[in-house]
Amino acid sequence: FYFRNKHRPFLLFVSLLHVHTPLITTEKFQGRSRHGLYGDNVEEMDWMVGRLLDVIDKEDLKNTTFIYFASDHGGFLEAHRGNSQLGGWNGIYKGGKGMGGWEGGIRVPGIVSWPGVFPAGMVIDEPTSLMDIYPTVVQLAGGAVPQDRVMDGHTLLPLLQGTEQHSRHKFLFHYCGAFLHAVRWHQKDSGTLWKAHYATPVFQPEASGACFRRGICPCSGDGVTHHDPPLLFNLSHDPSEANPLSADTEPL
């Protein structure tokens, strides 16, 4: 592929099966990590990404190639074999994959590389979306997104180049299947992130932060709790979503 296209613009989209059940891992990487098959899967994914980056480097395309690496959801907590948990870890964030609203299922790192264009070591803590990839790629290719419809994504380039300080997303809607579970509001004048939860999964067991008895959290029915008024969190001060706000605790 790259031999045919290295002297002209190309788009390479690689959608990995890795760190997704059933955690298929080649023999070479089985037993490589100290975290079972899940860890082995991470090791193999890391190796595959490394091979791609090595080719870009070797072909002297590093300074002319925009690279974006991200996940489509947070770690899957319920993955297990027998009594062994095989799933991911979402740090301080509540919940995980398959949960429409909690940060553990939504908030993932996006890693960007374009030496000579973006400064090295820069950290941007702004809410963006995988929907932003499309308008970003269109802009890089010199095109224009369709004007006859509303586009949910926004180009990432102004944020990455430092010409804009804040994400263009004012609201992000978080669905579980067809059901709206949560909405995030980015209050741009203060930079504060607020989130309202209209429905949340019923964890089993209750204190587990996951749905181990069901295998994955459902989106509706008896597997969710509806909130009226919605649960409200200030993510800027409470990223773990541990303390829902009330009129007493947050007069604003």
Side-chain angles (χ1 to χ4, degrees):
F1 170 85
Y2 61 86
F3 286 122
R4 290 199 311 272
N5 293 281
K6 67 180 182 179
H7 296 304
R8 56 188 179 141
F10 64 85
L11 171 67
L12 176 63
F13 175 78
V14 181
S15 183
L16 296 160
L17 290 170
H18 289 64
V19 299
H20 196 295
T21 50
L23 297 173
I24 296 161
T25 310
T26 58
E27 204 173 316
K28 179 181 174 184
F29 286 91
Q30 287 174 19
R32 179 74 68 93
S33 84
R34 290 182 295 177
H35 191 56
L37 270 181
Y38 188 93
D40 296 345
N41 226 236
V42 173
E43 296 274 349
E44 185 166 18
M45 178 178 66
D46 183 59
W47 173 80
M48 291 171 75
V49 172
R51 289 293 302 271
L52 287 168
L53 296 181
D54 286 347
V55 168
I56 288 168
D57 203 11
K58 193 179 88 185
E59 297 296 332
D60 206 23
L61 296 171
K62 203 168 172 178
N63 290 346
T64 54
T65 304
F66 173 87
I67 297 164
Y68 185 98
F69 176 86
S71 174
D72 60 340
H73 53 68
F76 179 32
L77 304 179
E78 291 91 351
H80 65 276
R81 178 176 290 164
N83 292 324
S84 302
Q85 277 183 241
L86 296 173
W89 181 69
N90 296 317
I92 65 168
Y93 303 115
K94 186 181 284 188
K97 175 193 173 182
M99 303 180 200
W102 295 121
E103 288 293 275
I106 297 166
R107 192 183 287 236
V108 296
I111 304 171
V112 176
S113 172
W114 195 359
V117 178
F118 304 143
M122 181 171 64
V123 177
I124 298 171
D125 186 18
E126 287 286 306
T128 62
S129 164
L130 291 182
M131 295 185 294
D132 297 333
I133 294 174
Y134 170 66
T136 303
V137 168
V138 168
Q139 185 180 355
L140 286 169
V145 296
Q147 299 299 305
D148 60 346
R149 69 204 75 182
V150 175
M151 303 305 297
D152 292 318
H154 301 286
T155 174
L156 293 169
L157 293 181
L159 204 55
L160 294 168
Q161 291 174 312
T163 57
E164 290 182 8
Q165 302 309 308
H166 294 294
S167 166
R168 293 182 181 182
H169 289 283
K170 185 176 181 182
F171 295 101
L172 285 170
F173 297 86
H174 303 301
Y175 286 84
C176 184
F179 302 93
L180 181 66
H181 274 212
V183 176
R184 177 185 318 253
W185 174 39
H186 186 214
Q187 191 179 357
K188 290 190 182 174
D189 53 354
S190 66
T192 305
L193 274 175
W194 305 89
K195 195 159 76 171
H197 288 261
Y198 302 97
T200 54
V202 177
F203 292 144
Q204 300 174 322
E206 198 175 325
S208 66
C211 299
F212 288 110
R213 288 186 197 140
R214 290 179 181 256
I216 194 165
C217 291
C219 295
S220 61
D222 64 355
V224 302
T225 302
H226 292 276
H227 303 283
D228 185 14
L231 293 180
L232 180 65
F233 295 94
N234 179 342
L235 296 181
S236 300
H237 294 155
D238 180 23
S240 299
E241 297 174 290
N243 304 299
L245 301 174
S246 68
D248 298 328
T249 59
E250 178 54 79
L252 173 65

